[in-house]
Amino acid sequence: MQQPDLRAIIAVLETIAKPTVAAIYGTALGGGLELALGCHFRVADAGARLGLPEVKLGLLPGGGGTVRLPRLIGPLKALRMIVSGTPIDAAEALAAALVDAVFDGDLAARAVRFASGQDGPLAPVRDRNSRLDPADLPDFDRQAAELAKKARGLEAPIACAQSVRNAVTLPFEAALAAERELFVKLVAGDQSRAQRHLFFAEREAAKVGAKDIVRRKIARVGVIGAGTMGGGIAMAFANSGFPVTLLETSREALQRGLAMIDKNYAVSVSRGSLSEAAKQQRLGLFKGSTDYGDLADCDLIVEAVFEEMAVKKEVFGRLDAVARPGAILATNTSYLDVNEIAASTSRPQDVVGMHFFSPANVMKLLEIVRAEKTVPDALATIAELARRIGKVPVVVGVCHGFVGNRMLSARGAESEALLLEGATPQQIDRVFTDFGWPMGPFQMSDLAGLDIGWRNRKARGQTAVIADTLCEQGHFGQKTGRGFYLYENGSRTPAADPEVEALIRDKAADRGIAPRAIGAEEIIERTLYPMINEGAKILEEGIAARASDIDVVWVNGYGFPVGKGGPMFWAGLEGVDKIIGRLGHWHERTGKDIFRVAPLLRQAAETGSWEGKSMA
Ligand code: NAI
C-alpha cells in the first residue's frame, strides 16, 4: 500500500505537539471517523452523523477505531456502535463525549475559535497510554456474548467485540497490533468477500435506466386494498412523507385497514421507536376512500387486492378510467402475469409490478417487474422512488413468481419428499438455521400461513400430502396454534408436534416408503442446489439481468445469510462442479425437473463465471 497510509497519518496527528481539532460536517463514517478519532478534539455540525459501519462489510474498523473509540466513550458504548455499525447523530455523539462541541452553522469558523481556546480553555488531552478500567469487563463480556448469539455465524461482529475488549486488556500499541491482525484475517475471509459483493450488488441493482432519462414526479400515491400488504405498502410511503390515498371496497374494510395501521404505529410508539407526534403526523398523511374518482390526483397507484386475475383486471380497468395520464399503475401481485394485467388497460406502457414483501413497511426488498410494454422512464422512476422509501430495488422480468418466489418453489419442491423419506420438520429447519438462515422452511410456512400455499396448489391442480392434510384439519400454522409445529398458549416458539410426526409416518407407510436417516448434506442438496439451478434458468431466460441481482433478492427478501453472499455467490463457494454432480445424481434417482441441470450452470462451471464476471 502506498505510504503514508491512513494509520500512519492518524499516528502523526495523534502525537503531534500542537492541538488538532477535527471539524466534522456531513458524515464521518469508517476511515473518516477514525481520522477524527486521531485528533485531540472533535467538533461537529449539528447535522453531522458519525459511525463505524465496517461490520456491515464483514470487517472491523482497521484504522485504530476499535482501540480509540472505547477510550473516548467507554467500552460498552463503543461495543454497541462498532458491532451494530449504525451511525449516531451529533447530539448523541456529544452526549457520549465522542465530540467536544456541536455547532449549528459556521462550522469552520467556530472550530477555529474552539481550537484557539476562546470558547474556554481546551480540556487536557487524554493520554493514549492510559489503561481503561477493567471493572467493566464482566458486563462487557455479558453483552458481547449476547451480540455473538445474534451474529448467527458472522465472524465480523465477534471480531469487533474481541478488538474492543483488547482495547481494555492490552496496552495501546499492542491493542492496535491485535486490531490489525484481526482485520487482515477478516479481509481475506469468504464472509467479508460475500458482504462486499452484496454491497456492490445492491448499488448495481439500483442503477435503473440511463442517467439522462427524465424521471416522473411522484407526489401523491394511491394504494388499492387495505389488507396485509396494502396497509404495509401505504405505511412504507407515509413513513417517507408521501401523502397516500387508500382505497377499499367498503367503509368497513377501509376502517379495518386504517385501524390496523393505527395499531402498528401505536406498537412503535409503545416500543419507543416512534414519537406520538410523528405517529400523528404520519396518520395525517392518509386519506381513506371507497371511490375510485379519488385516485385521479395520484401519480402512482399500487394495487394490492386479492390474488385473482379477474379481480386484478377489473381493478386495472377502473383505474384506467380515472388515473391521470402519465400516472404509473403498479401491481403487487406475487405470481400473476403482469403483461396480462397491463393489457387490461389502454396504457400498458405505464404498468409495472411492484412486488413488496411482508411486512411491507419493514422488508427492504422491492422486485420491480418489467412487463413487455413497460417504458424505461416508468421503471427508472420506480427504482428511484424505491430508494427514497428505503427499499432495495431489483428489476425482474415476468414469469410465475418472478425471481424470489420462483426460486422459493424450487427450494421447497423436495420438502414433502424429504419428510416422507424420514426427515422431520425440525431436522430440516435445523439444517437451515445452522446454515445461517433466520428460520427454516417449515417455520417460515407456519409463520406465513399454510393456507396460502394450499390455495395456490388447489388453483394449479397440485398437491402436497402433508401440508394439504394439515390444512384440511384446520392447522394453518401460527395463526391457528398448529401447523408443522405446535404453538401452545399463543406462543410463537415452535415446538415439535408428535401428531405431525405420526401423520408423516402414516402417509409414508401408505406409500410404502420406509423411513431412513437423512443427513444435513442431503437436505442441502435437495433444497438449496435446485434453488441455484433455478437461478441459472432465471438468468438464461433474462428474468434477472445479473446473478448478483438474484443475490440481492434473496438476502433482502428471504433472509439468505449475508455472510454467504446470496445463492449465486454461494454457488461459487460451494463449487459449481459439485452442485452439478449432485443435481445429476438426484435427477437420476427422482427424474424430477428441478434437478435437470441448467445449461448455464454447466457453462458457469467451465468458465468460472455467471456472465463474464467471476463468481465467489
Ligand atoms: P389481503 O386479503 O390481506 O388484502 C386484500 C385486500 O384487498 C382486502 O382488504 C380486500 O377487501 C381488498 N380488495 C379486494 N378487492 C378489492 C377491490 N376491487 N378494490 C379495492 N380493494 C379490494 O391480501 P394480501 O395478503 O394483502 O395480498 C394482496 C396482494 O399482495 C395479492 O396480490 C398478494 O399475492 C400480494 N402479496 C402478498 C404477500 C403476503 O405475504 N401476504 C406478499 C407479497 C405480495
Side-chain angles (χ1 to χ4, degrees), residues 261-446:
I261 290 170
D262 195 303
K263 194 174 141 210
N264 285 337
Y265 281 136
V267 170
S268 302
V269 171
S270 70
R271 284 195 189 139
S273 57
L274 188 73
S275 71
E276 182 59 34
K279 174 189 165 194
Q280 292 309 330
Q281 183 262 335
R282 288 181 191 181
L283 287 175
L285 291 167
F286 289 92
K287 179 173 143 191
S289 171
T290 54
D291 177 2
Y292 274 78
D294 284 338
L295 297 171
D297 61 350
C298 293
D299 308 298
L300 161 70
I301 301 160
V302 187
E303 163 279 311
V305 305
F306 301 138
E307 183 78 345
E308 274 173 43
M309 185 53 92
V311 185
K312 304 272 192 207
K313 280 184 168 171
E314 199 226 299
V315 167
F316 272 78
R318 295 180 72 173
L319 265 186
D320 195 18
V322 297
R324 68 162 185 75
I328 297 177
L329 312 182
T331 172
N332 181 47
T333 181
S334 308
Y335 292 97
L336 299 174
D337 182 345
V338 183
N339 292 326
E340 198 178 334
I341 295 174
S344 65
T345 72
S346 65
R347 39 174 132 177
Q349 73 280 2
D350 294 333
V351 177
V352 301
M354 283 179 84
H355 185 214
F356 288 86
F357 288 72
S358 183
N361 51 321
V362 177
M363 295 296 288
K364 291 229 169 276
L365 179 64
L366 179 69
E367 281 186 328
I368 303 178
V369 187
R370 169 178 33 83
E372 253 166 36
K373 297 197 173 147
T374 314
V375 284
D377 75 298
L379 275 186
T381 302
I382 297 301
E384 188 187 73
L385 181 70
R387 302 291 284 188
R388 280 172 64 194
I389 61 170
K391 300 294 177 200
V392 176
V394 179
V395 174
V396 302
V398 175
C399 65
H400 187 77
F402 314 118
V403 169
N405 282 344
R406 176 168 158 185
M407 285 171 73
L408 184 67
S409 299
R411 191 187 84 169
E414 284 286 87
S415 292
E416 293 257 330
L418 283 166
L419 294 179
L420 292 171
E421 290 171 39
T424 61
Q426 46 280 23
Q427 188 198 348
I428 294 174
D429 283 347
R430 181 65 201 265
V431 169
F432 273 72
T433 49
D434 285 349
F435 186 86
W437 297 84
M439 63 177 90
F442 295 103
Q443 289 167 301
M444 184 174 141
S445 299
D446 272 4

